[in-house]
Amino acid sequence: MGTPNAVGDWSSEMEVSAFRRLFPLRYYERHLSESIRPDARPLKRARDTIVSLGAVASSDGSALAKIGSTTMLAAIKMEVMTPSVDSPDEGSVAVEFHMPPICSPVVRPGRPAEVAPVTSKQLFDCLLSSGMIDLKELSLIKGKAAWMAYLDIYCLDADGALFDAALLSAVAAFSHLRIPVVSLNDEGRMVMVSKELEGEKLDKEPVDKERRKLSLKSIPFSLTCILHKNYILADPTFEEESIMETFITVVLNSSGQLVSLYKSGGPVLAHTSAIQECVALTRQRMKELEEIIDEAISTMEID
C-alpha cells in the first residue's frame, strides 16, 4: 500500500534535485521569495560556528574554526629576528593563507588557488589595521631582537565565506598564543628556552621570565553578505557564492568601528541602504563571535 507513495516521493526528490542542478538561480529565487534558504536558514542568519583552541600542539598558538562546513586551521610559530631600522622597538607578523586541493573540487593539484594570495593580503591588512596587535609587545631588545609571528592558515573545507572563517581562526590562534621564553647564549644571540627548562635556573637570565600572552585589543570580526536583487543573504555557502556573484565583506573591531569593507565584482550595485544593513548584521554577528571566542578560552583554561 505504501509503495506508490514511496515511489512518488522518490520521483519528486529526483525532480527537485534535477531542477536545482539545471536551474540553480531559479531554484534559489523560489526560496528567497519565501524568505528561506535551501538549508532552512533565514536569509540573514549565519551558520553554526565552532572554535577550538590548541589544535596544533607543536605551534605556539593555534585554533580550529568552523562556520557551517567551512573549516580553517590556524597555527602561529614564533621566531626571533632582527627588527627593522625604521621600527627598532617593534616585532612583525607574517600571514600565509593556504588552500590545498583537499579543501575543494575547484582547487587543482599543482595549481595554487588564485584566491589564496588575495586572502593572505586581506588578512594581514585587517589584523594590523584593526589595532588588535601592538607590535611593540613583540620587541625583545630594542634595535637588536624582536619576535616574528608566522601565522599560517589552512583551509580544510571551502564551503563559502572563506575570509570570515580564516579571520576567526586567526583571532582565535592569537588568543591562544603563548610567547616562548628566550635567553642570551654565550655568543650573545637570542635562543629559545625549551619547555622542559622553563622555570629552571639558567646560566643567563631569560629575557622573558615565563610564557606570556599578547594583550589583544580592538579584535576584528567579519561577516560576508550576498546581494541579489533586493535580498541580502548573510554568511553564504559556496553554492550561493557561485550562483549569486555580488558579495560584501564587512570587518568591524570589538569597539564597533569599521576596519574595512570589501566588495567583490558582480552585477548588483551596493547602495547605501544595503551597506548599512550589512554593517548592522555584522554588529550582531560580532557579538555572537565574541561569545564563542570567550567560551573557547574559558574551556581551554578549565582543561
Side-chain angles (χ1 to χ4, degrees):
M1 292 292 290
T3 304
N5 288 335
V7 172
D9 292 344
W10 180 80
S11 177
S12 177
E13 288 178 11
M14 289 291 289
E15 289 176 2
V16 171
S17 179
F19 182 77
R20 183 173 188 169
R21 288 197 306 272
L22 294 172
F23 307 103
L25 185 56
R26 286 174 58 189
Y27 174 81
Y28 265 88
E29 287 180 339
R30 285 190 178 185
H31 284 79
L32 297 182
S33 65
E34 298 179 9
S35 299
I36 198 74
R37 292 151 87 164
D39 61 6
R41 278 188 295 157
L43 304 191
K44 297 173 184 177
R45 179 181 297 172
R47 292 168 289 177
D48 292 340
T49 303
I50 300 172
V51 170
S52 177
L53 303 183
V56 182
S58 58
S59 68
D60 297 306
S62 62
L64 183 75
K66 290 190 68 174
I67 300 179
S69 295
T70 300
T71 308
M72 299 287 170
L73 177 65
I76 302 170
K77 199 69 177 174
M78 305 297 290
E79 296 287 346
V80 178
M81 66 160 199
T82 302
S84 67
V85 177
D86 295 333
S87 305
D89 60 344
E90 293 183 357
S92 298
V93 176
V95 181
E96 195 72 35
F97 179 71
H98 309 268
M99 288 189 71
I102 61 168
C103 76
S104 171
V106 301
V107 180
R108 308 300 299 172
R111 294 184 180 180
E114 293 181 3
V115 71
V118 176
T119 304
S120 296
K121 181 68 166 59
Q122 289 177 339
L123 288 167
F124 176 80
D125 292 343
C126 181
L127 290 172
L128 292 190
S129 63
S130 67
M132 181 181 83
I133 302 169
D134 182 0
L135 296 179
K136 293 184 185 297
E137 277 195 60
L138 298 177
S139 178
L140 289 167
I141 299 176
K142 185 176 180 179
K144 294 184 178 180
W147 286 111
M148 166 68 87
Y150 290 97
L151 170 64
D152 286 284
I153 302 173
Y154 294 87
C155 179
L156 304 182
D157 193 335
D159 188 29
L162 301 188
F163 180 86
D164 299 346
L167 179 60
L168 180 61
S169 70
V171 167
F174 274 108
S175 299
H176 178 251
L177 174 65
R178 298 296 182 272
I179 297 178
V181 177
V182 290
S183 177
L184 287 169
N185 64 10
D186 294 334
E187 298 174 356
R189 294 182 179 178
M190 285 285 181
V191 292
M192 292 191 193
V193 178
S194 65
K195 292 182 179 180
E196 292 75 15
L197 294 177
E198 289 178 14
E200 300 289 333
K201 187 174 182 180
L202 303 172
D203 293 336
K204 293 191 180 280
E205 190 72 12
V207 177
D208 286 327
K209 300 287 185 181
E210 59 184 13
R211 286 177 170 260
R212 59 184 174 88
K213 301 179 181 179
L214 283 179
S215 301
L216 303 181
K217 299 173 290 184
S218 302
I219 297 173
F221 296 101
S222 66
L223 178 67
T224 297
C225 296
I226 278 184
L227 305 182
H228 180 70
K229 295 184 178 179
N230 295 323
Y231 302 108
I232 296 177
L233 286 74
D235 182 28
T237 62
F238 172 76
E239 183 181 31
E240 290 169 339
E241 288 181 347
S242 63
I243 295 169
M244 296 167 278
E245 299 174 345
T246 304
F247 51 98
I248 287 180
T249 299
V250 178
V251 184
L252 301 176
N253 65 23
S254 50
S255 301
Q257 298 173 321
L258 181 67
V259 176
S260 61
L261 187 150
Y262 305 107
K263 178 187 179 295
S264 297
V268 179
L269 294 175
H271 296 290
T272 303
S273 58
I275 293 175
Q276 289 175 339
E277 186 163 358
C278 289
V279 171
L281 290 171
T282 305
R283 283 203 170 90
Q284 296 175 14
R285 177 64 169 160
M286 180 181 67
K287 294 176 183 178
E288 297 173 7
L289 296 177
E290 283 180 323
E291 292 178 1
I292 290 170
I293 291 283
D294 290 343
E295 183 179 348
I297 293 173
S298 300
T299 302
M300 190 72 186
E301 290 175 349
I302 292 172
D303 293 342

